[in-house]
Amino acid sequence: MGGIFGAVSRADITVDLFFGTDYHTHLGARRGGMAVYAGDTGFQRAIHNIENAPFRTKFEHDLNEMHGNMGIGCISDTDPQPELVRSHLGSYALTTVGRINNAEELVNDIISHGGHFGEQSGGVINQTELVAALIDQCDTIPDGIRYAQQKIKGSMTLLLMTKEGLYAARDYMGRTPIILGHKEGAYCAAFESFSYMNLGYSYVRDLAPGEVVFMTPDSCERVMEPNHQMKICAFLWIYYGYTTSCYEGVNVEVMRNNCGALLAKRDQGIDVDYVAGIPESGNGHAIGYANESGIRFARPFIKYTPTWVRSFTPAKQSVRDLTAHMKLIPVEQLIRGKKLLFLDDSVVRGTQMRNTVEFLYNNGAKEVHIRSASPPSMFGCKFLNFSPGKSDMDLIARQVVRSFDGDDRYLHDYCTDNTERYQAMVDEIAHRLNFTSLKYHLLADVQKAVGLDPDMLCTYCFTGEE
Ligand code: SF4
């Protein structure tokens, strides 16, 4: 995935940028970047690998070295950003979050007209550099952003900083959010709405799909009209958005509580000792389920977070395997001899869930029932760099379908929750992953839990419908 934050102020912005960007760390694990602009020093930029150390540790030194009254920052799982550009549109810094499925075609088109790109290892083109090249095809920055939005297949949300101010542009279909905040003499734009709260900003509004605004310390003006269609990613609420964030006015934790309650309503008569969540996103769903069902909420295992916040990838496979295991600490009194019901955001590949269930049985659990807060993941996401299930055949549901029929001719039936084929697929997944029972959420209930018009939500990974 990735997350972005930017701010423009009459005062120095570096501290706001540092903390505002840091609050997006849950959205990516590979690189962090910050760029600032000041009249006396021009553009300054720092990019670091954050795979094995937190953003704050890596950027602590830069915080003391950088200064400016404007800045943009990112957490990126892909290319090093922000990109610094000098073109006929002037000098600017650019940071992006999204996915370009037709990058090869766009690159070839630009090269055939005399453009060029930096060569990277493996022949990969820097996505943010490609977006800059698209913007540079036009005579103004707003026109260039709209041109990029229209050319890109996938999604693209971005922040662009010139010497005069900051542009914020939301993806044309609004798959990812941008939220505007304001405090005296300053504006900010963020992927996560909670990221600016402790910095003294108040909520202004969500940017509309495709909308572009230009911000200075004293103004925030629309420079490109919005698209009237929206397809915001449903998984923002179900899984990867931060608990305290709101998108389109809907808080993540509240949606998860609603989601769990709706699951409990159609799960009458279940006999278990405790309801629990697979941390962290499963907890909000589990609290909703427990409150609705009256079954006690418990935490039968805890993730040891103090030293395991970042990914840790030792060279030896045996140590890597042990690492996943070392994060989970059981609470034996809540597991041994108990019938447990766990809520998770989704069952995508199933590998991690199989290991967790084995861990619970090894610690004496009598039964492990699983409830997924989303419908079966049937299609890999083609709009975002979303790690769970990049390709269809990574998905356990699709593997089961293939093992039943040898092909996808009945796929529509498997995507429909009241068919025999759907039930057979769910039973087989439960069998393969060693669950006592498994139920998935209904798409209609997920839509209800969010509460927006269903047409505004992207649910492609459950239905295959765009
Ligand atoms: S396909 Fe799924 S993960 Fe991707 S944007 Fe749509 S809802 Fe989100």
Side-chain angles (χ1 to χ4, degrees):
M1 269 300 298
I4 51 181
F5 178 91
V8 53
S9 171
R10 281 189 229 136
D12 193 281
I13 206 69
T14 321
V15 170
D16 286 10
L17 183 63
F18 175 79
F19 285 110
T21 307
D22 180 53
Y23 270 144
H24 290 77
T25 298
H26 57 286
L27 292 171
R30 288 188 68 197
R31 293 191 178 92
M34 297 199 305
V36 291
Y37 177 79
D40 55 345
T41 48
F43 289 94
Q44 286 177 288
R45 178 183 68 169
I47 297 172
H48 297 294
N49 182 313
I50 53 166
E51 280 167 306
N52 287 316
F55 178 91
R56 286 194 308 279
T57 311
K58 285 293 183 93
F59 284 83
E60 192 181 346
H61 177 73
D62 304 293
L63 180 61
N64 300 321
E65 297 291 311
M66 297 171 107
H67 78 278
N69 73 317
M70 277 190 278
I72 56 174
C74 70
I75 301 293
S76 170
D77 263 341
T78 52
D79 36 337
Q81 314 178 34
E83 185 83 7
L84 293 183
V85 179
R86 181 184 280 196
S87 76
H88 73 104
L89 295 172
S91 297
Y92 63 86
L94 176 67
T95 188
T96 63
V97 56
R99 169 171 166 159
I100 307 179
N101 295 323
N102 55 338
E104 197 65 28
E105 178 195 314
L106 296 172
V107 165
N108 290 340
D109 188 41
I110 290 168
I111 289 175
S112 71
H113 289 90
H116 63 85
F117 292 92
E119 189 68 41
Q120 294 196 26
S121 60
V124 178
I125 295 289
N126 180 317
Q127 172 177 288
T128 307
E129 188 184 354
L130 173 53
V131 176
L134 289 166
I135 292 170
D136 289 346
Q137 303 297 304
C138 294
D139 292 334
T140 67
I141 287 174
D143 286 345
I145 293 174
R146 177 50 45 95
Y147 177 75
Q149 287 174 331
Q150 286 170 341
K151 281 283 178 182
I152 288 167
K153 290 188 181 140
S155 72
M156 185 52 56
T157 290
L158 61 86
L159 297 174
L160 188 154
M161 175 172 65
T162 67
K163 293 175 183 172
E164 289 77 36
L166 208 67
Y167 291 91
R170 185 170 172 188
D171 171 55
Y172 195 66
M173 296 304 292
R175 289 200 211 264
T176 46
I178 280 281
I179 326 283
L180 303 177
H182 177 250
K183 67 180 175 184
E184 178 64 27
Y187 277 95
C188 73
F191 186 113
E192 292 288 23
S193 67
F194 79 95
S195 64
Y196 54 70
M197 281 161 41
N198 287 347
L199 297 168
Y201 295 84
S202 329
Y203 171 78
V204 175
R205 65 183 179 90
D206 290 43
L207 225 58
E211 183 182 3
V212 185
V213 291
F214 181 67
M215 298 182 288
T216 67
D218 302 305
S219 65
C220 177
E221 284 173 22
R222 178 183 283 174
V223 292
M224 197 53 77
E225 290 298 312
N227 170 19
H228 294 294
Q229 252 188 308
M230 182 187 292
K231 285 287 174 191
I232 184 169
C233 173
F235 262 113
L236 273 164
W237 289 278
I238 298 168
Y239 165 54
Y240 65 90
Y242 202 72
T243 323
T244 47
S245 267
C246 294
Y247 316 109
E248 302 302 325
V250 181
N251 173 263
V252 171
E253 181 72 358
V254 170
M255 180 277 177
R256 289 179 187 166
N257 292 171
N258 293 343
C259 211
L262 288 166
L263 255 169
K265 274 193 178 136
R266 57 176 197 92
D267 208 9
Q268 302 293 323
I270 183 98
D271 172 27
V272 290
D273 297 300
Y274 298 115
V275 170
I278 302 286
E280 282 298 320
S281 51
N283 284 337
H285 299 293
I287 289 168
Y289 188 109
N291 288 344
E292 177 65 31
S293 65
I295 303 168
R296 280 178 298 172
F297 174 80
R299 294 193 296 162
F301 68 86
I302 312 284
K303 275 194 177 170
Y304 188 73
T305 50
T307 58
W308 293 100
V309 247
R310 307 303 305 153
S311 55
F312 172 61
T313 44
K316 269 190 178 173
Q317 180 63 44
S318 56
V319 184
R320 283 208 297 277
D321 293 345
L322 186 61
T323 300
H325 179 68
M326 290 300 288
K327 283 184 201 173
L328 304 183
I329 319 279
V331 181
E332 208 192 325
Q333 290 97 316
L334 297 176
I335 300 179
R336 188 155 298 283
K338 300 286 190 254
K339 293 185 266 183
L340 304 170
L341 184 141
F342 276 91
L343 282 99
D344 201 0
D345 45 70
S346 49
V347 182
V348 180
R349 290 190 185 90
T351 341
Q352 215 172 327
M353 188 66 106
R354 189 192 291 115
N355 295 340
T356 304
V357 170
E358 196 181 309
F359 163 85
L360 290 163
Y361 282 128
N362 289 342
N363 281 281
K366 198 168 159 195
E367 293 177 6
V368 182
H369 302 262
I370 300 293
R371 300 294 177 262
S372 165
S374 56
S377 291
M378 303 297 291
F379 301 87
C381 175
K382 60 180 185 177
F383 306 109
L384 309 172
N385 281 317
F386 185 63
S387 57
K390 278 187 179 157
S391 110
D392 294 352
M393 290 316 293
D394 285 343
L395 309 169
I396 188 163
R398 290 298 287 273
Q399 290 164 11
V400 166
V401 168
R402 224 18 108 76
S403 74
F404 283 174
D405 303 325
D407 58 29
D408 295 330
R409 82 198 109 133
Y410 301 117
L411 203 50
H412 183 263
D413 283 7
Y414 291 107
C415 294
T416 311
D417 56 56
N418 55 5
T419 64
E420 281 179 25
R421 285 199 170 89
Y422 171 91
Q423 196 51 51
M425 175 186 74
V426 174
D427 292 346
E428 177 62 16
I429 293 171
H431 173 69
R432 288 188 186 190
L433 301 180
N434 202 16
F435 303 159
T436 310
S437 74
L438 168 65
K439 273 190 189 171
Y440 285 92
H441 222 331
L442 303 178
L443 180 58
D445 280 351
V446 171
Q447 290 164 332
K448 196 168 165 190
V450 177
L452 299 176
D453 177 341
D455 281 347
M456 292 165 74
L457 280 184
C458 176
T459 51
Y460 171 84
C461 44
F462 314 127
T463 62
E465 289 163 19
E466 290 187 29

